[in-house]
Amino acid sequence: MKQKTWPGRQYRQSTFKFWLSSEADFRKLRSSDGDFSTLPSDILTKIAASFTLPHLQAASLVCKSWSEGLRPLREALLFLKWGKRFKHGRGGVRPNLDKALDSFLKGAVRGSTLAMVDAGLLYWELGKKDKAIALYKKAAVLGDPSGQCNLGLSYLQAEPSKQKEAVKWLFQASKSGHVRAQYQLALCLHQGCGFDRHLHEAARWYLKAAEGGYVRAMYRVALCYSVGEGLAQSHRQARKWMKRAADRGHSKAQYEHGLGLFSEGEKLKAVVYLELATHAGETAAVHVKNVILQQLPATSRDHVMNLANNWRA
């Protein structure tokens, strides 16, 4: 079967398209004539659905009508707060998943996409995937990047996999700067999920996710630079990103960076990274580490092992 090309262009729609999901919504927005104090409460709630508490509090101070219109969302974030306490056993309460789910759902009913996503996560953990996907989709349509990302991931794991829909939602979340979505989108582009592989686009999204702090993406960027896949080959850039991933706890990066240091004659530093990789379960690192240790004096061996034992990502 002929594969489709990467359909990124068709997914480039504005975020407003998600907030304002019907022509009626657009008409309501236009009817405000630039006076946003008269913005209909249902439109206001859609726009603010993914707001965190500080942003919601600031929006509530704009005018009296906004304060009244955003009251359900302020209540939703209180339920969200209690849901997190019940889920994780914080704030002097014992863990109780039933109460956590009930709190999240009350927040979701009041329009908070943050609560929808947390309720979806809990449903997913409980094995109720259909209910989780329904909540993710509701949050995604309202423009929530985490909801879009989780919906995309859910579609990838569906039986059968809904790859086209998955990529669509991962792309939307990626445009909003969601680093996990950027990484997952890059994987889809790299592997060819329902369309031809697109290595340059994959490398671009890996790099965006890596620059946003996503550790797995840092490792992938290092590999792309190392072999020149989607990015111009650069051993200096490969080494930089491999070290960044290693310093943030990526075990394979620790192993490979350790090998690189050993090849450069940096035996002491190499042992530190190889020991870290060993601790993380990279069995291949053990033999190389032991070979290097045999070449070091006892004082140096004790020093590097102490460094590894006290290392923190």
mmCIF file with all atom_site columns, all heavy atoms in Angstrom, residues 267-290:
data_model
loop_
_atom_site.group_PDB
_atom_site.id
_atom_site.type_symbol
_atom_site.label_atom_id
_atom_site.label_alt_id
_atom_site.label_comp_id
_atom_site.label_asym_id
_atom_site.label_entity_id
_atom_site.label_seq_id
_atom_site.pdbx_PDB_ins_code
_atom_site.Cartn_x
_atom_site.Cartn_y
_atom_site.Cartn_z
_atom_site.occupancy
_atom_site.B_iso_or_equiv
_atom_site.pdbx_formal_charge
_atom_site.auth_seq_id
_atom_site.auth_comp_id
_atom_site.auth_asym_id
_atom_site.auth_atom_id
_atom_site.pdbx_PDB_model_num
ATOM 1   N N   . LYS A 1 267 ? 39.955 8.699  31.402 1.00 0.00 ? 267 LYS A N   1
ATOM 2   C CA  . LYS A 1 267 ? 39.585 7.472  32.099 1.00 0.00 ? 267 LYS A CA  1
ATOM 3   C C   . LYS A 1 267 ? 38.775 7.727  33.368 1.00 0.00 ? 267 LYS A C   1
ATOM 4   O O   . LYS A 1 267 ? 37.804 7.015  33.644 1.00 0.00 ? 267 LYS A O   1
ATOM 5   C CB  . LYS A 1 267 ? 40.834 6.659  32.431 1.00 0.00 ? 267 LYS A CB  1
ATOM 6   C CG  . LYS A 1 267 ? 41.582 6.137  31.209 1.00 0.00 ? 267 LYS A CG  1
ATOM 7   C CD  . LYS A 1 267 ? 42.797 5.341  31.610 1.00 0.00 ? 267 LYS A CD  1
ATOM 8   C CE  . LYS A 1 267 ? 43.545 4.821  30.395 1.00 0.00 ? 267 LYS A CE  1
ATOM 9   N NZ  . LYS A 1 267 ? 44.756 4.043  30.760 1.00 0.00 ? 267 LYS A NZ  1
ATOM 10  N N   . LEU A 1 268 ? 39.173 8.712  34.157 1.00 0.00 ? 268 LEU A N   1
ATOM 11  C CA  . LEU A 1 268 ? 38.474 8.965  35.418 1.00 0.00 ? 268 LEU A CA  1
ATOM 12  C C   . LEU A 1 268 ? 37.019 9.370  35.168 1.00 0.00 ? 268 LEU A C   1
ATOM 13  O O   . LEU A 1 268 ? 36.095 8.838  35.796 1.00 0.00 ? 268 LEU A O   1
ATOM 14  C CB  . LEU A 1 268 ? 39.203 10.040 36.223 1.00 0.00 ? 268 LEU A CB  1
ATOM 15  C CG  . LEU A 1 268 ? 40.622 9.699  36.699 1.00 0.00 ? 268 LEU A CG  1
ATOM 16  C CD1 . LEU A 1 268 ? 41.220 10.861 37.482 1.00 0.00 ? 268 LEU A CD1 1
ATOM 17  C CD2 . LEU A 1 268 ? 40.598 8.445  37.579 1.00 0.00 ? 268 LEU A CD2 1
ATOM 18  N N   . LYS A 1 269 ? 36.811 10.323 34.266 1.00 0.00 ? 269 LYS A N   1
ATOM 19  C CA  . LYS A 1 269 ? 35.452 10.750 33.941 1.00 0.00 ? 269 LYS A CA  1
ATOM 20  C C   . LYS A 1 269 ? 34.662 9.603  33.312 1.00 0.00 ? 269 LYS A C   1
ATOM 21  O O   . LYS A 1 269 ? 33.470 9.442  33.582 1.00 0.00 ? 269 LYS A O   1
ATOM 22  C CB  . LYS A 1 269 ? 35.482 11.944 32.995 1.00 0.00 ? 269 LYS A CB  1
ATOM 23  C CG  . LYS A 1 269 ? 36.013 13.230 33.618 1.00 0.00 ? 269 LYS A CG  1
ATOM 24  C CD  . LYS A 1 269 ? 35.994 14.368 32.602 1.00 0.00 ? 269 LYS A CD  1
ATOM 25  C CE  . LYS A 1 269 ? 36.526 15.660 33.211 1.00 0.00 ? 269 LYS A CE  1
ATOM 26  N NZ  . LYS A 1 269 ? 36.536 16.773 32.228 1.00 0.00 ? 269 LYS A NZ  1
ATOM 27  N N   . ALA A 1 270 ? 35.335 8.817  32.497 1.00 0.00 ? 270 ALA A N   1
ATOM 28  C CA  . ALA A 1 270 ? 34.662 7.693  31.841 1.00 0.00 ? 270 ALA A CA  1
ATOM 29  C C   . ALA A 1 270 ? 34.101 6.717  32.866 1.00 0.00 ? 270 ALA A C   1
ATOM 30  O O   . ALA A 1 270 ? 32.956 6.255  32.750 1.00 0.00 ? 270 ALA A O   1
ATOM 31  C CB  . ALA A 1 270 ? 35.627 6.981  30.900 1.00 0.00 ? 270 ALA A CB  1
ATOM 32  N N   . VAL A 1 271 ? 34.899 6.420  33.897 1.00 0.00 ? 271 VAL A N   1
ATOM 33  C CA  . VAL A 1 271 ? 34.457 5.469  34.918 1.00 0.00 ? 271 VAL A CA  1
ATOM 34  C C   . VAL A 1 271 ? 33.226 5.990  35.648 1.00 0.00 ? 271 VAL A C   1
ATOM 35  O O   . VAL A 1 271 ? 32.299 5.225  35.959 1.00 0.00 ? 271 VAL A O   1
ATOM 36  C CB  . VAL A 1 271 ? 35.594 5.162  35.914 1.00 0.00 ? 271 VAL A CB  1
ATOM 37  C CG1 . VAL A 1 271 ? 35.056 4.363  37.104 1.00 0.00 ? 271 VAL A CG1 1
ATOM 38  C CG2 . VAL A 1 271 ? 36.699 4.383  35.233 1.00 0.00 ? 271 VAL A CG2 1
ATOM 39  N N   . VAL A 1 272 ? 33.183 7.296  35.930 1.00 0.00 ? 272 VAL A N   1
ATOM 40  C CA  . VAL A 1 272 ? 32.020 7.871  36.623 1.00 0.00 ? 272 VAL A CA  1
ATOM 41  C C   . VAL A 1 272 ? 30.748 7.608  35.827 1.00 0.00 ? 272 VAL A C   1
ATOM 42  O O   . VAL A 1 272 ? 29.751 7.106  36.353 1.00 0.00 ? 272 VAL A O   1
ATOM 43  C CB  . VAL A 1 272 ? 32.210 9.384  36.855 1.00 0.00 ? 272 VAL A CB  1
ATOM 44  C CG1 . VAL A 1 272 ? 30.919 9.984  37.427 1.00 0.00 ? 272 VAL A CG1 1
ATOM 45  C CG2 . VAL A 1 272 ? 33.358 9.646  37.813 1.00 0.00 ? 272 VAL A CG2 1
ATOM 46  N N   . TYR A 1 273 ? 30.766 7.937  34.533 1.00 0.00 ? 273 TYR A N   1
ATOM 47  C CA  . TYR A 1 273 ? 29.569 7.751  33.704 1.00 0.00 ? 273 TYR A CA  1
ATOM 48  C C   . TYR A 1 273 ? 29.233 6.276  33.500 1.00 0.00 ? 273 TYR A C   1
ATOM 49  O O   . TYR A 1 273 ? 28.051 5.894  33.492 1.00 0.00 ? 273 TYR A O   1
ATOM 50  C CB  . TYR A 1 273 ? 29.748 8.451  32.357 1.00 0.00 ? 273 TYR A CB  1
ATOM 51  C CG  . TYR A 1 273 ? 29.580 9.949  32.445 1.00 0.00 ? 273 TYR A CG  1
ATOM 52  C CD1 . TYR A 1 273 ? 30.686 10.793 32.509 1.00 0.00 ? 273 TYR A CD1 1
ATOM 53  C CD2 . TYR A 1 273 ? 28.312 10.526 32.488 1.00 0.00 ? 273 TYR A CD2 1
ATOM 54  C CE1 . TYR A 1 273 ? 30.533 12.173 32.608 1.00 0.00 ? 273 TYR A CE1 1
ATOM 55  C CE2 . TYR A 1 273 ? 28.144 11.898 32.583 1.00 0.00 ? 273 TYR A CE2 1
ATOM 56  C CZ  . TYR A 1 273 ? 29.259 12.713 32.641 1.00 0.00 ? 273 TYR A CZ  1
ATOM 57  O OH  . TYR A 1 273 ? 29.098 14.081 32.740 1.00 0.00 ? 273 TYR A OH  1
ATOM 58  N N   . LEU A 1 274 ? 30.239 5.442  33.365 1.00 0.00 ? 274 LEU A N   1
ATOM 59  C CA  . LEU A 1 274 ? 29.986 4.011  33.200 1.00 0.00 ? 274 LEU A CA  1
ATOM 60  C C   . LEU A 1 274 ? 29.419 3.395  34.475 1.00 0.00 ? 274 LEU A C   1
ATOM 61  O O   . LEU A 1 274 ? 28.562 2.502  34.418 1.00 0.00 ? 274 LEU A O   1
ATOM 62  C CB  . LEU A 1 274 ? 31.277 3.296  32.786 1.00 0.00 ? 274 LEU A CB  1
ATOM 63  C CG  . LEU A 1 274 ? 31.783 3.638  31.377 1.00 0.00 ? 274 LEU A CG  1
ATOM 64  C CD1 . LEU A 1 274 ? 33.194 3.120  31.171 1.00 0.00 ? 274 LEU A CD1 1
ATOM 65  C CD2 . LEU A 1 274 ? 30.845 3.052  30.314 1.00 0.00 ? 274 LEU A CD2 1
ATOM 66  N N   . GLU A 1 275 ? 29.886 3.878  35.626 1.00 0.00 ? 275 GLU A N   1
ATOM 67  C CA  . GLU A 1 275 ? 29.333 3.394  36.890 1.00 0.00 ? 275 GLU A CA  1
ATOM 68  C C   . GLU A 1 275 ? 27.877 3.829  37.042 1.00 0.00 ? 275 GLU A C   1
ATOM 69  O O   . GLU A 1 275 ? 27.030 3.063  37.512 1.00 0.00 ? 275 GLU A O   1
ATOM 70  C CB  . GLU A 1 275 ? 30.166 3.911  38.059 1.00 0.00 ? 275 GLU A CB  1
ATOM 71  C CG  . GLU A 1 275 ? 29.649 3.530  39.443 1.00 0.00 ? 275 GLU A CG  1
ATOM 72  C CD  . GLU A 1 275 ? 29.685 2.026  39.730 1.00 0.00 ? 275 GLU A CD  1
ATOM 73  O OE1 . GLU A 1 275 ? 30.280 1.265  38.925 1.00 0.00 ? 275 GLU A OE1 1
ATOM 74  O OE2 . GLU A 1 275 ? 29.102 1.612  40.749 1.00 0.00 ? 275 GLU A OE2 1
ATOM 75  N N   . LEU A 1 276 ? 27.579 5.058  36.638 1.00 0.00 ? 276 LEU A N   1
ATOM 76  C CA  . LEU A 1 276 ? 26.193 5.535  36.675 1.00 0.00 ? 276 LEU A CA  1
ATOM 77  C C   . LEU A 1 276 ? 25.307 4.690  35.757 1.00 0.00 ? 276 LEU A C   1
ATOM 78  O O   . LEU A 1 276 ? 24.196 4.324  36.136 1.00 0.00 ? 276 LEU A O   1
ATOM 79  C CB  . LEU A 1 276 ? 26.129 7.003  36.247 1.00 0.00 ? 276 LEU A CB  1
ATOM 80  C CG  . LEU A 1 276 ? 26.804 8.022  37.175 1.00 0.00 ? 276 LEU A CG  1
ATOM 81  C CD1 . LEU A 1 276 ? 26.806 9.406  36.540 1.00 0.00 ? 276 LEU A CD1 1
ATOM 82  C CD2 . LEU A 1 276 ? 26.114 8.068  38.523 1.00 0.00 ? 276 LEU A CD2 1
ATOM 83  N N   . ALA A 1 277 ? 25.828 4.382  34.579 1.00 0.00 ? 277 ALA A N   1
ATOM 84  C CA  . ALA A 1 277 ? 25.071 3.538  33.651 1.00 0.00 ? 277 ALA A CA  1
ATOM 85  C C   . ALA A 1 277 ? 24.856 2.148  34.230 1.00 0.00 ? 277 ALA A C   1
ATOM 86  O O   . ALA A 1 277 ? 23.783 1.551  34.079 1.00 0.00 ? 277 ALA A O   1
ATOM 87  C CB  . ALA A 1 277 ? 25.813 3.450  32.314 1.00 0.00 ? 277 ALA A CB  1
ATOM 88  N N   . THR A 1 278 ? 25.888 1.624  34.930 1.00 0.00 ? 278 THR A N   1
ATOM 89  C CA  . THR A 1 278 ? 25.764 0.316  35.586 1.00 0.00 ? 278 THR A CA  1
ATOM 90  C C   . THR A 1 278 ? 24.676 0.331  36.638 1.00 0.00 ? 278 THR A C   1
ATOM 91  O O   . THR A 1 278 ? 23.845 -0.586 36.714 1.00 0.00 ? 278 THR A O   1
ATOM 92  C CB  . THR A 1 278 ? 27.112 -0.081 36.224 1.00 0.00 ? 278 THR A CB  1
ATOM 93  O OG1 . THR A 1 278 ? 28.120 -0.141 35.207 1.00 0.00 ? 278 THR A OG1 1
ATOM 94  C CG2 . THR A 1 278 ? 27.004 -1.429 36.910 1.00 0.00 ? 278 THR A CG2 1
ATOM 95  N N   . HIS A 1 279 ? 24.650 1.385  37.455 1.00 0.00 ? 279 HIS A N   1
ATOM 96  C CA  . HIS A 1 279 ? 23.611 1.516  38.479 1.00 0.00 ? 279 HIS A CA  1
ATOM 97  C C   . HIS A 1 279 ? 22.215 1.522  37.865 1.00 0.00 ? 279 HIS A C   1
ATOM 98  O O   . HIS A 1 279 ? 21.254 1.050  38.469 1.00 0.00 ? 279 HIS A O   1
ATOM 99  C CB  . HIS A 1 279 ? 23.806 2.814  39.268 1.00 0.00 ? 279 HIS A CB  1
ATOM 100 C CG  . HIS A 1 279 ? 24.951 2.760  40.231 1.00 0.00 ? 279 HIS A CG  1
ATOM 101 N ND1 . HIS A 1 279 ? 25.403 3.861  40.935 1.00 0.00 ? 279 HIS A ND1 1
ATOM 102 C CD2 . HIS A 1 279 ? 25.748 1.740  40.619 1.00 0.00 ? 279 HIS A CD2 1
ATOM 103 C CE1 . HIS A 1 279 ? 26.419 3.515  41.701 1.00 0.00 ? 279 HIS A CE1 1
ATOM 104 N NE2 . HIS A 1 279 ? 26.642 2.232  41.529 1.00 0.00 ? 279 HIS A NE2 1
ATOM 105 N N   . ALA A 1 280 ? 22.110 2.099  36.649 1.00 0.00 ? 280 ALA A N   1
ATOM 106 C CA  . ALA A 1 280 ? 20.814 2.221  35.983 1.00 0.00 ? 280 ALA A CA  1
ATOM 107 C C   . ALA A 1 280 ? 20.437 0.961  35.203 1.00 0.00 ? 280 ALA A C   1
ATOM 108 O O   . ALA A 1 280 ? 19.386 0.918  34.567 1.00 0.00 ? 280 ALA A O   1
ATOM 109 C CB  . ALA A 1 280 ? 20.814 3.426  35.052 1.00 0.00 ? 280 ALA A CB  1
ATOM 110 N N   . GLY A 1 281 ? 21.303 -0.060 35.236 1.00 0.00 ? 281 GLY A N   1
ATOM 111 C CA  . GLY A 1 281 ? 20.960 -1.330 34.603 1.00 0.00 ? 281 GLY A CA  1
ATOM 112 C C   . GLY A 1 281 ? 21.565 -1.575 33.242 1.00 0.00 ? 281 GLY A C   1
ATOM 113 O O   . GLY A 1 281 ? 21.195 -2.548 32.568 1.00 0.00 ? 281 GLY A O   1
ATOM 114 N N   . GLU A 1 282 ? 22.501 -0.731 32.804 1.00 0.00 ? 282 GLU A N   1
ATOM 115 C CA  . GLU A 1 282 ? 23.171 -0.948 31.519 1.00 0.00 ? 282 GLU A CA  1
ATOM 116 C C   . GLU A 1 282 ? 24.303 -1.964 31.724 1.00 0.00 ? 282 GLU A C   1
ATOM 117 O O   . GLU A 1 282 ? 25.430 -1.615 32.064 1.00 0.00 ? 282 GLU A O   1
ATOM 118 C CB  . GLU A 1 282 ? 23.717 0.380  30.972 1.00 0.00 ? 282 GLU A CB  1
ATOM 119 C CG  . GLU A 1 282 ? 22.661 1.392  30.606 1.00 0.00 ? 282 GLU A CG  1
ATOM 120 C CD  . GLU A 1 282 ? 21.798 0.944  29.443 1.00 0.00 ? 282 GLU A CD  1
ATOM 121 O OE1 . GLU A 1 282 ? 22.303 0.217  28.566 1.00 0.00 ? 282 GLU A OE1 1
ATOM 122 O OE2 . GLU A 1 282 ? 20.614 1.327  29.414 1.00 0.00 ? 282 GLU A OE2 1
ATOM 123 N N   . THR A 1 283 ? 24.003 -3.224 31.516 1.00 0.00 ? 283 THR A N   1
ATOM 124 C CA  . THR A 1 283 ? 24.957 -4.296 31.815 1.00 0.00 ? 283 THR A CA  1
ATOM 125 C C   . THR A 1 283 ? 26.215 -4.221 30.943 1.00 0.00 ? 283 THR A C   1
ATOM 126 O O   . THR A 1 283 ? 27.289 -4.655 31.362 1.00 0.00 ? 283 THR A O   1
ATOM 127 C CB  . THR A 1 283 ? 24.294 -5.674 31.629 1.00 0.00 ? 283 THR A CB  1
ATOM 128 O OG1 . THR A 1 283 ? 23.742 -5.758 30.305 1.00 0.00 ? 283 THR A OG1 1
ATOM 129 C CG2 . THR A 1 283 ? 23.163 -5.853 32.640 1.00 0.00 ? 283 THR A CG2 1
ATOM 130 N N   . ALA A 1 284 ? 26.076 -3.677 29.742 1.00 0.00 ? 284 ALA A N   1
ATOM 131 C CA  . ALA A 1 284 ? 27.239 -3.581 28.856 1.00 0.00 ? 284 ALA A CA  1
ATOM 132 C C   . ALA A 1 284 ? 28.317 -2.667 29.428 1.00 0.00 ? 284 ALA A C   1
ATOM 133 O O   . ALA A 1 284 ? 29.490 -2.758 29.040 1.00 0.00 ? 284 ALA A O   1
ATOM 134 C CB  . ALA A 1 284 ? 26.807 -3.078 27.482 1.00 0.00 ? 284 ALA A CB  1
ATOM 135 N N   . ALA A 1 285 ? 27.915 -1.773 30.344 1.00 0.00 ? 285 ALA A N   1
ATOM 136 C CA  . ALA A 1 285 ? 28.879 -0.826 30.912 1.00 0.00 ? 285 ALA A CA  1
ATOM 137 C C   . ALA A 1 285 ? 29.813 -1.495 31.919 1.00 0.00 ? 285 ALA A C   1
ATOM 138 O O   . ALA A 1 285 ? 30.910 -0.984 32.183 1.00 0.00 ? 285 ALA A O   1
ATOM 139 C CB  . ALA A 1 285 ? 28.136 0.332  31.585 1.00 0.00 ? 285 ALA A CB  1
ATOM 140 N N   . VAL A 1 286 ? 29.398 -2.608 32.481 1.00 0.00 ? 286 VAL A N   1
ATOM 141 C CA  . VAL A 1 286 ? 30.156 -3.238 33.568 1.00 0.00 ? 286 VAL A CA  1
ATOM 142 C C   . VAL A 1 286 ? 31.548 -3.657 33.106 1.00 0.00 ? 286 VAL A C   1
ATOM 143 O O   . VAL A 1 286 ? 32.558 -3.352 33.765 1.00 0.00 ? 286 VAL A O   1
ATOM 144 C CB  . VAL A 1 286 ? 29.394 -4.463 34.124 1.00 0.00 ? 286 VAL A CB  1
ATOM 145 C CG1 . VAL A 1 286 ? 30.227 -5.145 35.216 1.00 0.00 ? 286 VAL A CG1 1
ATOM 146 C CG2 . VAL A 1 286 ? 28.033 -4.057 34.657 1.00 0.00 ? 286 VAL A CG2 1
ATOM 147 N N   . HIS A 1 287 ? 31.628 -4.360 32.001 1.00 0.00 ? 287 HIS A N   1
ATOM 148 C CA  . HIS A 1 287 ? 32.917 -4.878 31.526 1.00 0.00 ? 287 HIS A CA  1
ATOM 149 C C   . HIS A 1 287 ? 33.889 -3.740 31.220 1.00 0.00 ? 287 HIS A C   1
ATOM 150 O O   . HIS A 1 287 ? 35.057 -3.778 31.644 1.00 0.00 ? 287 HIS A O   1
ATOM 151 C CB  . HIS A 1 287 ? 32.721 -5.738 30.287 1.00 0.00 ? 287 HIS A CB  1
ATOM 152 C CG  . HIS A 1 287 ? 34.008 -6.184 29.664 1.00 0.00 ? 287 HIS A CG  1
ATOM 153 N ND1 . HIS A 1 287 ? 34.843 -7.109 30.270 1.00 0.00 ? 287 HIS A ND1 1
ATOM 154 C CD2 . HIS A 1 287 ? 34.629 -5.818 28.500 1.00 0.00 ? 287 HIS A CD2 1
ATOM 155 C CE1 . HIS A 1 287 ? 35.914 -7.288 29.510 1.00 0.00 ? 287 HIS A CE1 1
ATOM 156 N NE2 . HIS A 1 287 ? 35.810 -6.521 28.432 1.00 0.00 ? 287 HIS A NE2 1
ATOM 157 N N   . VAL A 1 288 ? 33.416 -2.712 30.502 1.00 0.00 ? 288 VAL A N   1
ATOM 158 C CA  . VAL A 1 288 ? 34.287 -1.595 30.141 1.00 0.00 ? 288 VAL A CA  1
ATOM 159 C C   . VAL A 1 288 ? 34.774 -0.882 31.391 1.00 0.00 ? 288 VAL A C   1
ATOM 160 O O   . VAL A 1 288 ? 35.953 -0.536 31.521 1.00 0.00 ? 288 VAL A O   1
ATOM 161 C CB  . VAL A 1 288 ? 33.560 -0.607 29.207 1.00 0.00 ? 288 VAL A CB  1
ATOM 162 C CG1 . VAL A 1 288 ? 34.512 0.507  28.760 1.00 0.00 ? 288 VAL A CG1 1
ATOM 163 C CG2 . VAL A 1 288 ? 32.989 -1.324 28.004 1.00 0.00 ? 288 VAL A CG2 1
ATOM 164 N N   . LYS A 1 289 ? 33.860 -0.685 32.333 1.00 0.00 ? 289 LYS A N   1
ATOM 165 C CA  . LYS A 1 289 ? 34.225 -0.008 33.586 1.00 0.00 ? 289 LYS A CA  1
ATOM 166 C C   . LYS A 1 289 ? 35.302 -0.788 34.326 1.00 0.00 ? 289 LYS A C   1
ATOM 167 O O   . LYS A 1 289 ? 36.301 -0.206 34.796 1.00 0.00 ? 289 LYS A O   1
ATOM 168 C CB  . LYS A 1 289 ? 32.981 0.134  34.473 1.00 0.00 ? 289 LYS A CB  1
ATOM 169 C CG  . LYS A 1 289 ? 33.247 0.777  35.836 1.00 0.00 ? 289 LYS A CG  1
ATOM 170 C CD  . LYS A 1 289 ? 32.109 0.525  36.796 1.00 0.00 ? 289 LYS A CD  1
ATOM 171 C CE  . LYS A 1 289 ? 32.043 -0.957 37.184 1.00 0.00 ? 289 LYS A CE  1
ATOM 172 N NZ  . LYS A 1 289 ? 30.995 -1.221 38.195 1.00 0.00 ? 289 LYS A NZ  1
ATOM 173 N N   . ASN A 1 290 ? 35.143 -2.104 34.414 1.00 0.00 ? 290 ASN A N   1
ATOM 174 C CA  . ASN A 1 290 ? 36.122 -2.932 35.137 1.00 0.00 ? 290 ASN A CA  1
ATOM 175 C C   . ASN A 1 290 ? 37.485 -2.925 34.450 1.00 0.00 ? 290 ASN A C   1
ATOM 176 O O   . ASN A 1 290 ? 38.528 -2.933 35.119 1.00 0.00 ? 290 ASN A O   1
ATOM 177 C CB  . ASN A 1 290 ? 35.596 -4.366 35.274 1.00 0.00 ? 290 ASN A CB  1
ATOM 178 C CG  . ASN A 1 290 ? 34.427 -4.461 36.246 1.00 0.00 ? 290 ASN A CG  1
ATOM 179 O OD1 . ASN A 1 290 ? 34.284 -3.592 37.118 1.00 0.00 ? 290 ASN A OD1 1
ATOM 180 N ND2 . ASN A 1 290 ? 33.615 -5.488 36.104 1.00 0.00 ? 290 ASN A ND2 1
#
